[in-house]
């Protein structure tokens, strides 16, 4: 069965089982491996992408659920070669350690800043429920605040 | 190669060499060959094999590439090692990049086989010696947290290897300039990737001198810089691996793409040591892309063109498992430990004075401690991609010990080791787990049944239920006070074997006590155990630092002062004193909010921490803030070091607040993150980290931040509530993390 959707700005069609989770469609059928498999039950957030601008965990999201919708992955965050303010802030704060969870973290943070341009610590706690085993949480928090300022013109 | 011949050959050889690169440039290698250190012939099977090697390349375009022999699993060691090399080489940091060494065949096992054995008198840390007497795979499992963790990358490879490789390269470049310009070597200076001659005002880049430099012999013992003149080491250089970790481009083992590759999902025995008797496929629905169902006895695998398809089919199989340790449970293991500690012969680890008499005379307290099994739970579940042909095998994996993985694959396939190639990838967390061989050998065995490359991915559930866990152990301590001094301490504990050699394992009570009796009873774990970040220090740190706190309260002395009163080592005293100041120890806090302190020295680094925690009336424990003071000797990269300490604090607190792996009926109970809970953003405390200046050689930083934080937390809980936490996690005492 064919499922059509927009992936990082391109119209694409996946000829797969409609129940196949979006995570595995992105990784296997479109070879975009920045989005990670971590738990398989939407508990850790490593598989977070944007669907119509909303952060969604894709390891249990059937691809048919995104038919005709707009999917954006970490690979599309740095538009035109210019880093997204979050990526800039992530490097400024030297956030990643092993780095495996960071795509999901950054996508969750991007969705947060789109909804709440200047989030409080409580907003960050509520929105950022991704698991990082390396424990980068305080740098994630600081980088989100830095990116929020940058997005609003410093 | 015949056993026995290798070591003899290597001990006679003390060579060093360099080589021109095809296309120009210089490659310089340095090998620390451990067989000089009585390593058994089994360990190094080939003359050009080595535990550690470090390399630097200089291109004609003046780009410097440092080849990193340690796996990158988040510790940032690659950047730190490159800083050490670039410092001695007088390189311009902006031209330095890193590459993973094992992926480059021409450097790892080739005719270039360059290297030299560090000469007599080299300062190899004493802990390495006994490690080298272990048989092959024991070393592999024993070194995992170390050989590729921050704990030895910097202090062994960097301190002994990278610095010399950089200094030797600089010497060769200077020698080439001296010859080409016909000037005395002493008049030349290397600076920012150029060689300068003040007298003639000449200046050439390292890159343009590199090909000529390759004709010179590297120095076996180059002069090393005075640390006071360091410009790169000791500064917070941005990690070289991070740009591709914020845009999804970094390739972890999970992300490897190989032409023709298929996927495999696996089922492992639900009960320890069970075997798959039969596999009923009658319930499997027909699907596109389905490959084969393989029963390897201890593994059932389904292959398909999609991992998701393989996973679906695996769930539809009806596997009949037989045998295994069905009566295994956490309670049974605890009872075994109690029994063994009470009745089995104890081995004396440390003894001084007359402990029995002192305990009888003084004011005595007794305590029994217990810690659970813990899973590593790396964010990237175990995975490995393998392609087995005849007679070669290629492996793509993120592994903490690629060289040992190579040998393990060769063993399991019955292949010659030289026919196995390991392509090292980024590790999505290691913490000791990715030093194990199981996920690599299973992939190789599955691939051996196939004519295509296969990526074997473990589900999170398979990963959690088939870990090599931090051992659960039991400990009984007794102590006595003579006034406000500790007169005696006795400690008897279960040693479930962490995989580390005894020389690297803590047993001593780390404070000044005149009468001591430390004993262990060996009780090998019935389930696989292994190295878990900071290894035995996590258990011993909890026992000793909790007990120290109990003694302090019994003596009615402030716990931090009590530690100072029993510490003479100036480094440890300085760390404690700084901690008291930075953490504002003793400040007035609201009711049910308290501080706790602990200090543990591990892997050459002293870490003392104060945890500030609030405890609600119903037992909810909120960690507000953690202050760490660290003496790691020479600090290579302060910002990366701070990240390691902060991450270690989260790792340790996670285990104290939530961590426990249990067994029932031979099965691991916990399956995924909901029942093996992790600290998340909302639970993460704020943190401050202070490094103490110290002229000591670099200590580890990837692990030493873990051990003290648990007892610092439980000591804070006691201070706030009067409840002494002697068993972990804190849920054992009715507390829960918030």
């Amino acid at each position: 069965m064919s499922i059509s959707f927009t992936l990082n700005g391109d119209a694409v069609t996946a000829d797969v089982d409609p129940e196949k989770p979006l995570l595995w469609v992105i990784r296997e059928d479109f070879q975009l491996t920045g989005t990670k498999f971590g738990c398989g039950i939407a508990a850790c957030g490593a598989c977070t992408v944007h669907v119509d601008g909303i952060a969604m965990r894709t390891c249990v999201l059937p691809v048919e659920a995104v038919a005709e919708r707009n999917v954006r992955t970490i690979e599309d965050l740095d538009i035109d070669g210019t880093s997204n303010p979050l990526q800039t802030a992530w490097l400024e704060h030297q956030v990643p350690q092993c780095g495996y969870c960071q795509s999901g973290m950054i996508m969750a943070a991007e969705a947060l800043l789109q909804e709440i341009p200047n989030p409080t610590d409580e907003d960050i706690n509520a929105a950022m429920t991704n698991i990082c085993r390396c424990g980068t949480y305080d740098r994630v928090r600081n980088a989100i605040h830095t990116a929020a300022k940058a997005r609003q013109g410093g | 190669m015949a056993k026995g011949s290798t070591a003899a050959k290597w001990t006679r050889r003390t060579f060093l060499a360099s080589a021109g690169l095809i296309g120009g440039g210089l490659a310089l290698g340095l090998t620390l060959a451990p067989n000089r250190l009585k390593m058994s012939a089994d360990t190094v099977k080939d003359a050009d094999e080595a535990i550690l090697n470090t390399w630097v390349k200089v291109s004609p375009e003046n780009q410097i590439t440092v080849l990193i022999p340690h796996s990158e699993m988040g510790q940032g060691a690659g950047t730190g090692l490159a800083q050490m090399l670039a410092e001695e080489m007088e390189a311009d940091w902006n031209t330095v990049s890193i590459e993973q060494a094992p992926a480059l065949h021409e450097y790892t096992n080739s005719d270039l086989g360059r290297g030299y054995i560090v000469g007599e008198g080299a300062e190899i840390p004493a802990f390495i010696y006994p490690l080298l007497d272990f048989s092959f795979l024991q070393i592999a499992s024993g070194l995992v947290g170390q050989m590729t963790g921050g704990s030895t990358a910097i202090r062994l490879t960097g301190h002994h290897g990278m610095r010399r490789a950089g200094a030797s390269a600089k010497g060769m470049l200077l020698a080439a300039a001296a010859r080409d310009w016909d000037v005395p070597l002493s008049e030349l200076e290397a600076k920012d990737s150029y060689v300068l001659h003040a007298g003639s005002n000449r200046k050439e880049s390292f890159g343009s001198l590199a090909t000529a430099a390759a004709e010179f012999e590297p120095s076996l013992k180059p002069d090393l810089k005075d640390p006071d003149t360091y410009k790169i080491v000791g500064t917070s250089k941005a990690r070289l691996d991070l740009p591709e970790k914020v845009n999804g481009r970094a390739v972890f083992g999970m992300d490897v793409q190989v032409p023709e590759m298929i996927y495999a999902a696996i089922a492992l025995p639900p009960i320890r040591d069970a075997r798959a008797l039969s596999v009923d496929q009658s319930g499997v629905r027909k699907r596109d892309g389905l490959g084969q169902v393989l029963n390897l006895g201890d593994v059932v695998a389904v292959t398909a063109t999609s991992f998701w398809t393989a996973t679906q089919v695996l769930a539809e199989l009806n596997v009949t498992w037989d045998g295994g340790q069905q009566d295994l449970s956490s309670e049974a293991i605890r009872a075994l430990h109690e029994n063994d500690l009470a009745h089995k012969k104890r081995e004396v680890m440390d003894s001084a004075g007359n402990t029995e008499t002192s305990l009888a005379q003084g004011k005595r307290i007794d305590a029994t401690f217990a810690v659970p099994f813990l899973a590593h739970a790396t964010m990237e579940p175990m995975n490995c991609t393998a392609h087995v042909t005849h007679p070669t095998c290629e492996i793509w994996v993120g592994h903490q010990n690629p060289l040992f993985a190579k040998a393990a694959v060769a063993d399991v396939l019955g292949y010659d080791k030289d026919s196995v190639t390991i392509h090292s990838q980024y590790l999505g967390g290691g913490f000791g787990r990715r030093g194990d061989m199981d996920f690599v050998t299973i992939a190789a065995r599955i691939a051996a049944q196939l004519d295509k490359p296969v990526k074997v991915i473990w589900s999170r559930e398979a990963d959690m239920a088939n870990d090599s866990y931090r051992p659960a152990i039991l400990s009984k301590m007794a102590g006595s006070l003579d006034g406000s001094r500790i007169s005696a301490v006795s400690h008897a504990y279960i040693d479930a074997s962490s995989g580390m050699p005894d020389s690297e394992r803590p047993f001593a009570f780390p404070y000044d006590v005149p009468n001591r009796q430390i004993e262990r009873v060996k009780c090998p774990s019935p389930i696989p155990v292994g190295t878990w970040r900071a290894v035995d220090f996590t258990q011993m740190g909890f026992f000793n630092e909790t007990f120290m706190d109990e003694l302090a309260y019994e003596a009615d002395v402030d716990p931090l002062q009590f530690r100072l009163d029993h510490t003479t080592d100036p480094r440890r005293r300085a760390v404690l004193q700084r901690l008291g100041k930075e953490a504002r120890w003793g400040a007035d806090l609201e009711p049910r909010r308290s501080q706790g302190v602990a200090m543990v020295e591990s892997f050459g680094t002293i870490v003392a921490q104060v945890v500030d925690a609030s405890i609600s009336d119903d037992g909810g424990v909120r960690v507000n803030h953690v202050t760490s003071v660290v003496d790691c000797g020479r600090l290579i990269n302060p910002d990366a070091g701070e990240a390691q300490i902060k991450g270690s604090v989260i790792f340790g607190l996670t285990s104290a607040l939530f961590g426990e792996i249990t067994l029932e009926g031979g099965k691991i109970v916990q399956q995924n993150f909901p029942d093996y809970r992790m600290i998340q953003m909302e639970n993460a405390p704020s943190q401050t980290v202070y490094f103490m200046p110290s002229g000591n050689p670099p200590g580890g930083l990837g692990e030493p931040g873990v051990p003290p934080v648990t007892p610092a937390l439980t000591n804070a809980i006691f201070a706030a509530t009067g409840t002494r936490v002697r068993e972990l996690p804190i849920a054992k005492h009715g507390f829960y993390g918030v």
Side-chain angles (χ1 to χ4, degrees):
Chain A
M1 187 174 163
S2 293
I3 312 287
S4 296
F5 58 101
T6 303
L7 180 59
N8 295 338
D10 297 329
V12 298
T13 299
D15 189 18
V16 297
D17 183 335
E19 290 180 17
K20 184 172 181 175
L22 180 60
L23 169 68
W24 297 109
V25 173
I26 292 168
R27 289 179 56 86
E28 295 178 352
D29 299 273
F30 296 101
Q31 265 119 53
L32 294 174
T33 55
T35 307
K36 305 301 186 194
F37 166 59
C39 68
I41 58 169
C44 78
C47 62
T48 303
V49 307
H50 291 184
V51 177
D52 291 343
I54 307 293
M56 298 195 74
R57 295 181 177 182
T58 56
C59 64
V60 292
L61 181 71
V63 64
E64 63 185 345
V66 302
E68 310 306 329
R69 297 174 76 179
N70 193 350
V71 175
R72 188 184 185 202
T73 71
I74 183 75
E75 284 88 352
D76 194 43
L77 207 57
D78 46 347
I79 308 151
D80 301 330
T82 306
S83 280
N84 179 292
L86 276 169
Q87 292 169 312
T88 305
W90 240 249
L91 290 177
E92 181 188 330
H93 289 274
Q94 293 281 291
V95 175
Q97 290 190 27
C98 87
Y100 193 80
C101 75
Q102 298 290 323
S103 297
M105 281 278 187
I106 292 170
M107 294 309 284
E110 173 72 8
L112 167 64
L113 292 187
Q114 284 175 13
E115 191 189 342
I116 307 174
N118 194 15
T120 62
D121 279 346
E122 288 67 34
D123 294 331
I124 292 172
N125 287 347
M128 300 296 294
T129 56
N130 302 47
I131 294 172
C132 172
R133 188 64 165 138
C134 299
T136 61
Y137 299 112
D138 78 323
R139 290 190 176 193
V140 168
R141 184 188 301 282
N142 293 338
I144 290 173
H145 285 309
T146 297
K149 285 197 193 86
R151 286 167 64 110
Q152 296 170 74
Chain B
M1 179 165 293
K3 284 184 182 180
S5 63
T6 310
K9 186 178 174 186
W10 272 84
T11 51
R12 283 196 304 272
R13 285 166 68 180
T14 302
F15 72 88
L16 58 151
S18 61
L21 290 172
I22 296 164
L26 167 70
L28 176 76
L30 177 151
T31 300
L32 291 177
N35 41 5
R36 267 208 72 260
L37 310 170
K38 304 188 185 72
M39 174 173 265
S40 68
D42 274 354
T43 310
V44 176
K45 290 182 175 173
D46 296 331
D48 61 351
E49 189 81 288
I51 300 282
L52 303 171
N53 53 50
T54 63
W55 297 90
V56 57
K57 292 189 294 186
V58 184
S59 77
E61 293 75 34
N62 211 22
Q63 293 297 308
I64 292 163
T65 307
V66 182
L67 289 104
I68 303 297
H70 289 269
S71 304
E72 181 55 61
M73 54 188 189
Q75 78 279 39
T79 305
L81 291 171
Q83 284 180 258
M84 296 173 92
L85 186 144
E87 181 72 63
E88 292 292 346
M89 194 173 174
E90 300 294 352
D92 175 356
W93 180 251
N94 294 317
T95 68
V96 175
S97 61
I98 54 175
E99 282 178 21
Q100 189 70 43
L104 295 170
H105 312 278
E106 67 266 42
Y107 296 108
T108 51
N109 59 358
S110 67
D111 297 337
L112 277 178
R114 315 266 159 207
Y116 58 80
I117 302 164
V118 169
E120 294 295 333
E123 298 165 9
I124 303 295
F127 77 87
I128 200 85
Y129 284 81
L131 291 181
L132 302 174
D133 290 326
F134 272 58
S135 67
F136 182 75
L137 286 175
Q138 280 175 311
I139 292 179
S141 61
L143 290 179
V144 290
Q146 296 219 318
M147 294 311 289
T148 57
S151 299
T152 54
I154 296 293
R155 67 187 178 129
L156 185 57
T157 309
H159 196 65
H160 298 287
M162 286 288 172
R163 292 194 307 158
R164 285 190 174 83
S168 290
K170 181 185 76 176
M172 295 161 73
L173 291 157
L174 291 172
R179 183 192 64 186
D180 289 0
W181 304 347
D182 195 22
V183 297
L185 192 61
S186 59
E187 293 180 6
L188 293 172
E189 182 193 5
K191 190 179 179 189
D192 297 335
S193 294
Y194 281 83
V195 175
L196 315 171
H197 183 244
S200 63
N201 216 17
R202 292 196 66 160
K203 180 180 180 183
E204 286 276 3
S205 73
F206 283 1
S208 56
L209 288 164
T211 305
E215 297 167 27
F216 288 83
E217 288 289 306
S219 169
L220 181 63
K221 288 187 176 176
D223 290 336
L224 298 174
K225 290 177 72 169
D226 176 351
D228 289 343
T229 66
Y230 282 174
K231 293 174 297 194
I232 297 172
V233 166
T235 64
S236 291
K237 298 298 183 194
R239 272 176 55 187
L240 299 170
D241 58 321
L242 293 201
E244 61 181 346
K245 288 181 174 176
V246 301
N247 63 17
R249 266 77 168 179
V251 176
F252 295 82
M254 186 70 80
D255 306 327
V256 166
Q257 303 280 346
V258 179
E260 304 279 300
M261 182 182 83
I262 59 172
Y263 296 85
I266 58 168
L268 296 164
I271 292 174
R272 286 286 148 189
D273 301 332
R275 305 280 298 178
L277 270 190
S278 63
V279 180
D280 174 8
Q281 302 184 38
S282 59
V284 174
R285 287 198 292 138
K286 177 129 181 64
R287 282 188 180 77
D288 290 342
L290 177 59
Q292 302 178 46
V293 175
L294 302 169
N295 181 1
L296 303 182
D298 57 338
V299 186
V300 173
V302 176
T303 68
T305 54
S306 161
F307 175 66
W308 182 72
T309 304
T311 301
Q312 298 290 104
V313 171
L314 190 72
E316 291 167 1
L317 297 178
N318 188 4
V319 181
T320 303
W321 298 95
D322 182 56
Q325 305 178 60
Q326 297 175 32
D327 53 354
L328 213 52
S329 69
S330 295
E331 292 71 25
I333 292 170
R334 172 66 178 264
L336 176 74
H337 288 170
E338 295 274 9
N339 183 69
D340 282 5
L341 212 48
H343 300 115
K344 276 206 173 164
K345 184 171 161 46
R346 295 173 177 180
E347 181 183 351
V348 177
M349 308 300 289
D350 179 34
S351 183
N354 192 330
T355 304
E356 206 168 318
T357 307
S358 297
L359 286 174
Q361 289 169 348
K363 183 176 175 188
R364 173 175 172 141
I365 60 170
D366 286 87
T368 298
F369 299 100
V371 294
F373 292 108
L374 295 171
H376 296 82
T378 60
M379 286 311 295
E380 179 191 18
M382 294 301 109
N383 66 84
C384 178
T385 300
H387 188 203
V388 175
T389 60
H390 299 279
T392 65
C393 173
E394 284 189 275
I395 299 282
W396 294 261
V397 68
H399 200 278
Q400 290 178 241
N401 261 325
L403 280 177
F404 292 129
K406 176 174 167 166
V409 168
D411 281 351
V412 78
L413 294 176
Y415 280 19
D416 185 274
K417 185 156 58 63
D418 288 338
S419 61
V420 177
T421 303
I422 305 278
H423 303 279
S424 289
Q425 313 297 325
Y426 279 130
L427 286 67
F431 315 121
R433 178 65 176 99
R434 283 197 156 85
D436 294 330
M437 299 299 150
D438 54 351
F439 60 102
V440 185
T441 54
I442 284 172
R445 289 165 60 210
I446 292 169
Q449 308 287 317
L450 307 169
D451 59 2
K452 289 189 170 94
V454 60
K455 183 188 287 181
V456 181
I457 300 173
W458 297 34
S459 65
R460 172 60 61 191
E461 291 79 9
D463 184 286
M464 193 153 292
N466 296 275
D467 201 343
S468 57
Y469 303 94
R470 196 285 303 268
I473 61 170
L474 186 69
S475 145
K476 288 183 187 291
M477 300 190 81
S480 57
L481 291 162
D482 179 2
S484 58
R485 300 284 308 178
I486 305 171
S487 52
V489 165
S490 74
H491 187 192
Y493 63 92
I494 291 292
D495 181 348
S497 180
S498 64
M500 295 284 283
D502 281 350
S503 64
E504 263 300 271
R505 305 178 64 194
F507 51 81
F509 190 73
Y511 292 95
D512 301 333
V513 178
N515 301 291
R516 307 181 301 272
Q517 187 74 11
I518 314 294
E519 300 172 332
R520 72 174 174 189
V521 176
K522 282 194 175 179
C523 181
S525 171
I527 66 170
V529 291
T531 52
W532 188 92
R533 197 174 190 178
V535 206
D536 302 277
F537 291 95
T538 63
Q539 298 124 324
M540 288 297 167
F542 174 63
F543 305 152
N544 289 332
E545 288 298 311
T546 306
F547 198 61
M548 195 64 187
D549 220 64
E550 298 199 27
L551 288 164
Y553 277 92
E554 198 64 33
D556 200 22
V557 177
D558 172 86
L560 197 150
Q561 184 59 47
F562 191 70
R563 283 169 171 80
L564 277 170
D565 292 344
H566 292 83
T567 302
T568 49
D569 173 42
R571 288 177 71 197
R572 293 166 63 94
R573 288 184 63 84
V575 166
L576 279 171
Q577 284 162 338
R578 176 83 183 272
L579 179 67
K581 176 169 159 283
E582 301 295 356
R584 287 183 290 132
W585 176 257
D588 269 344
L589 299 170
E590 61 259 37
R592 294 187 74 85
R593 176 173 181 176
S594 288
Q595 293 178 319
V597 63
M599 172 171 67
V600 178
E601 181 173 355
S602 62
F603 308 103
T605 294
I606 303 162
V607 180
Q609 289 162 338
V610 165
V611 165
D612 166 350
S614 299
I615 294 89
S616 67
D617 289 340
D618 71 345
V621 174
R622 166 77 206 173
V623 181
N624 303 305
H625 190 81
V626 179
T627 308
S628 299
V629 175
V630 182
D631 179 350
C632 62
R634 183 162 300 286
L635 181 58
I636 308 301
N637 185 320
D639 185 70
E642 183 205 85
Q644 284 301 300
I645 296 297
K646 287 183 170 180
S648 295
V649 162
I650 298 297
F651 203 86
L653 283 178
T654 297
S655 68
L657 293 173
F658 308 120
E660 183 177 28
I661 290 289
T662 57
L663 285 115
E664 279 176 28
K667 295 182 183 178
I668 300 291
V669 174
Q670 291 70 27
Q671 298 191 1
N672 207 318
F673 288 124
D675 53 3
Y676 190 71
R677 205 178 142 190
M678 297 286 127
I679 282 182
Q680 289 166 283
M681 182 71 79
E682 65 173 348
N683 320 109
S686 57
Q687 295 193 50
T688 44
V689 179
Y690 302 89
F691 287 99
M692 297 285 290
S694 157
N696 286 60
L701 275 173
E703 301 174 271
V706 177
V709 74
T710 292
L713 169 67
T714 55
N715 292 340
I717 291 173
F718 175 81
T721 67
T723 298
R724 187 55 79 179
V725 174
R726 288 174 172 164
E727 301 203 16
L728 294 173
I730 61 171
K732 299 280 186 196
H733 299 269
F735 296 109
Y736 62 97
V738 291

